[in-house]
Amino acid sequence: MALSGLFGFALNLGGGTPPAVGSLTLASGTGYPPVAWGQSMIYDAAEGYVLMLHNTWTYLDGEWTELDPSPEPSVGSWYCLAYDPVAGYTVLFGGGAGGGFMNGIGFAGHPLNATWTYASGKWTNVTSDVGTMPALKYPACAYDPQFDGGAVIVFAGANSSYYDSAAGSWLMNDTDQTYAYVPGSTPGSFDWVHLHPTVSPPARFGAGMAYDSSSEQLVLYGGAQDGTSTANGSCTPAVCPHLHDTWLFTGDLSSNTWSPVATGATPPGSVFTDLAYDAADGYLVDFGGQDNGYKSANATLNETWTFDGTSWQNLTPSLALSPPTRFGAAMTFDPATESVLMFSGLSGTLTGSSLRDDFWGFSGGAWTLLGGPPNSVKVHEVGLASGTRWSVTVSESTYSSTGSTIRFSEPDGTFEYTVNVTGSGDFYGSFVADDAVVNVDLTFHRVTFSESGLASGTAWSVTVNSAIQSSSGSKINFYLPNGSYGYRVGLVPGEHAADTGSIVVAGAALTVKVAFSKTTYLVEFTETGLAKGTAWSVTLAGTLKSSTTSSLTFKGIANGTYAYSIGAVAGYSLTGSPTGTVTVSGGGTGTIAVTVTTSWTPS
């Protein structure tokens, strides 16, 4: 959307309150997380909000907020998050760091074995305090309240860089990859414990895991097995088998096992799929995923499936609205909205992909689009002198620049704005934000006030549009959009010019000539004591004047100090000196400035 020349008026309109959609609220505010794939989010019951790490963001009451804790996990992506109510905090494990980019899309690098906790708005690196864990990216994890009173369970992951051609492998071939985060030997401490289930699923990475409260079972679905392709990570099913199996985990520290479930039909998107338990509706929700290699045309899917503890059901055909294809999105259940939330993810393939920038909610068997990134607003000016500082104020925020473009973000809505140009005043307008990019184009024209008549270096001023500028040179420049403006020329002592006027700016530069001329005054000499009709005279600044009346006036005297002399009158004596000086210091009115009275006596 491009808007041009919207100046000089303001609309009493605002973004308003975001409307409620079922139990969901459209996301509002100007904060919005950066889009990414391989990030995770979880509802942190202790903090009372949804937590997401790609930087640290929270979601509460329909608004995203970026926090700035220090330190912060350096993990790039593909970690796992789980809230542990026994510990009273969120646990982060694994992930990848130092990854590169392919076609502008970042991917995880070498795997990490880091463990971080999040409590009271702060991240703490507890890696050295919780026992030894293998370095894993793409791990699956979830909190299992049935395991020994409750524990975070981690299963599998990749232990090589993406793709490690030297190792010829993506991940550990060891199937014994189940770990539990349990209370340690001292009060308040926790340790990772390597479990050895009686039966374990095949080794994998990129699986989905969630606890099903309805059936009281920890569920693992999908993932991919060890791949041997060296073609830029083209993990196709032929060389990197994609799994569509469903497993349940039960037991405790002393005895535990995984059990396969014969579910019949399963979701087709089994790698980097998004899985979360919908506590409001009582089933697991699975969305999207990748199923045919990063390079294939149908690499990503947009199917929605649910799992009731025994079988999978495809809801996609019955949905009135569905998110577009993606894998590696962040997804969790939010008790505050009683919905499953899903953010971002990657669409397409690594050779033709794009990051999703949308935010969705799933409730009552239906998807609702909660929002996207705030509209990118680009305000571009043409006509200002290079280096002129100008600013845009909108939504109580001010953005300034000495360049030609100012950028900021706003949610959907109608917004009033104020543009301030240093030395030229304020201008007003409005724009409607309803596109991904909103363009506001501003055109200014130079209006030059050019003076003549002042002595070099004399200060003078002009006021236009409530902005006043002064100069000791001969020109004063304003930059104004089209419109009608009144102006006022400031008073210069001893000088005269037309002090008010009006101009019309109509698509071109304009010059206004201001002609100054000296302001002159009257200097009056009066006499007392001379007989009526007696002639007397005064010389002022070299000019001689005489009179036979009681007063004598000099006209056209500018500000300054002048010498005078009073001529002798036969038969009379002048009281005081016949010579002196008179100073004229008028304020520009042109009225009589000085009166000199002479007194005579007969001699």
Side-chain angles (χ1 to χ4, degrees):
M1 175 174 291
L3 307 178
S4 300
L6 295 182
F7 286 109
F9 65 90
L11 300 178
N12 186 24
L13 296 174
T17 302
V21 181
S23 61
L24 301 175
T25 301
L26 299 183
S28 64
T30 57
Y32 198 77
V35 296
W37 63 318
Q39 59 192 351
S40 296
M41 62 181 176
I42 197 71
Y43 180 78
D44 190 313
E47 303 297 324
Y49 49 63
V50 171
L51 172 70
M52 183 167 67
L53 179 65
H54 186 64
N55 300 335
T56 301
W57 287 81
T58 66
Y59 182 74
L60 177 66
D61 295 333
E63 292 193 7
W64 285 103
T65 302
E66 184 178 13
L67 305 183
D68 189 24
S70 181
E72 196 170 39
S74 58
V75 56
S77 58
W78 301 112
Y79 52 89
C80 68
L81 283 180
Y83 178 72
D84 187 336
V86 174
Y89 49 67
T90 291
V91 177
L92 177 150
F93 172 72
F101 290 85
M102 184 180 295
N103 297 318
I105 303 299
F107 54 85
H110 60 270
L112 301 173
N113 72 336
T115 301
W116 290 73
T117 62
Y118 180 83
S120 301
K122 296 181 179 180
W123 289 101
T124 302
N125 189 341
V126 298
T127 307
S128 61
D129 302 324
V130 294
T132 302
M133 283 285 282
L136 294 172
K137 60 184 180 181
Y138 318 117
C141 74
Y143 177 76
D144 183 353
Q146 299 298 317
F147 183 87
D148 256 28
V152 173
I153 304 297
V154 170
F155 181 77
N159 72 337
S160 66
S161 296
Y162 176 107
Y163 162 82
D164 189 344
S165 57
S169 173
W170 279 76
L171 51 86
M172 295 184 293
N173 289 315
D174 181 11
T175 61
D176 191 11
Q177 297 185 62
T178 305
Y179 305 86
Y181 187 75
V182 297
S185 58
T186 60
S189 68
F190 282 79
D191 294 313
W192 286 110
V193 175
H194 189 179
L195 305 178
H196 302 283
T198 305
V199 176
S200 288
R204 67 193 65 204
F205 66 92
M209 183 189 287
Y211 182 78
D212 183 348
S213 295
S214 296
S215 62
E216 298 184 341
Q217 300 172 115
L218 185 65
V219 180
L220 176 77
Y221 174 71
Q225 285 187 307
D226 184 15
T228 55
S229 169
T230 60
N232 293 324
S234 180
C235 184
T236 63
V239 296
C240 190
H242 291 194
L243 303 171
H244 296 269
D245 50 353
T246 304
W247 292 77
L248 306 179
F249 180 72
T250 57
D252 53 30
L253 277 172
S254 60
S255 176
N256 47 79
T257 190
W258 288 94
S259 304
V261 181
T263 60
T266 60
S270 63
V271 183
F272 306 134
T273 187
D274 304 311
L275 188 65
Y277 179 68
D278 184 343
D281 298 310
Y283 45 57
L284 293 180
V285 177
D286 176 273
F287 181 81
Q290 186 264 356
D291 186 48
N292 202 25
Y294 292 127
K295 291 189 173 183
S296 63
N298 60 337
T300 53
L301 301 166
N302 71 331
E303 294 192 10
T304 301
W305 289 67
T306 62
F307 182 70
D308 61 5
T310 57
S311 63
W312 289 97
Q313 179 182 0
N314 186 2
L315 298 188
T316 311
S318 64
L319 296 176
L321 178 67
S322 180
T325 61
R326 74 195 62 211
F327 66 98
M331 194 160 81
T332 193
F333 180 76
D334 178 18
T337 59
E338 296 187 337
S339 60
V340 172
L341 304 179
M342 182 174 69
F343 177 78
S344 194
L346 183 69
S347 171
T349 71
L350 284 181
T351 55
S353 56
S354 61
L355 289 168
R356 295 299 187 190
D357 61 6
D358 47 4
F359 178 43
W360 292 81
F362 184 81
S363 178
W367 286 103
T368 300
L369 178 61
L370 300 180
N375 298 280
S376 175
V377 182
K378 174 185 175 183
V379 184
H380 181 73
E381 68 80 15
V382 175
L384 294 182
S386 177
T388 300
R389 180 162 293 280
W390 62 293
S391 66
V392 179
T393 299
V394 61
S395 299
E396 299 183 353
S397 295
T398 298
Y399 312 90
S400 63
S401 176
T402 54
S404 61
T405 301
I406 291 175
R407 299 176 184 270
F408 52 90
S409 297
E410 293 292 343
D412 286 353
T414 301
F415 298 88
E416 302 170 4
Y417 65 84
T418 300
V419 174
N420 176 268
V421 177
T422 299
S424 296
D426 293 339
F427 312 98
Y428 307 93
S430 65
F431 63 83
V432 176
D434 60 5
D435 297 328
V437 177
V438 180
N439 293 305
V440 180
D441 298 319
L442 311 177
T443 301
F444 296 91
H445 304 285
R446 186 181 67 247
V447 177
T448 300
F449 287 82
S450 177
E451 70 82 15
S452 61
L454 292 180
S456 177
T458 301
W460 63 294
S461 65
V462 180
T463 300
V464 179
N465 191 39
S466 300
I468 183 170
Q469 285 198 58
S470 61
S471 175
S472 296
S474 62
K475 299 182 186 299
I476 293 176
N477 292 323
F478 289 82
Y479 293 89
L480 307 171
N482 289 343
S484 298
Y485 303 88
Y487 69 85
R488 177 178 294 276
V489 178
L491 180 66
V492 178
E495 306 290 342
H496 176 73
D499 61 352
T500 60
S502 62
I503 55 174
V504 176
V505 180
L510 183 66
T511 298
V512 181
K513 294 184 177 180
V514 180
F516 286 92
S517 59
K518 292 291 184 181
T519 303
T520 59
Y521 304 90
L522 304 179
V523 176
E524 182 182 51
F525 289 80
T526 62
E527 64 79 17
T528 61
L530 294 178
K532 184 176 181 180
T534 300
W536 62 293
S537 65
V538 177
T539 300
L540 176 68
T543 300
L544 172 66
K545 286 196 174 186
S546 61
S547 176
T548 56
T549 65
S550 61
S551 64
L552 188 152
T553 302
F554 291 83
K555 298 180 179 180
I557 306 301
N559 286 342
T561 299
Y562 304 92
Y564 69 85
S565 63
I566 301 172
V569 177
Y572 289 88
S573 297
L574 179 65
T575 301
S577 174
T579 61
T581 59
V582 61
T583 298
V584 178
S585 182
T589 61
T591 58
I592 294 176
V594 180
T595 298
V596 179
T597 301
T598 64
S599 180
W600 302 83
T601 58
S603 58

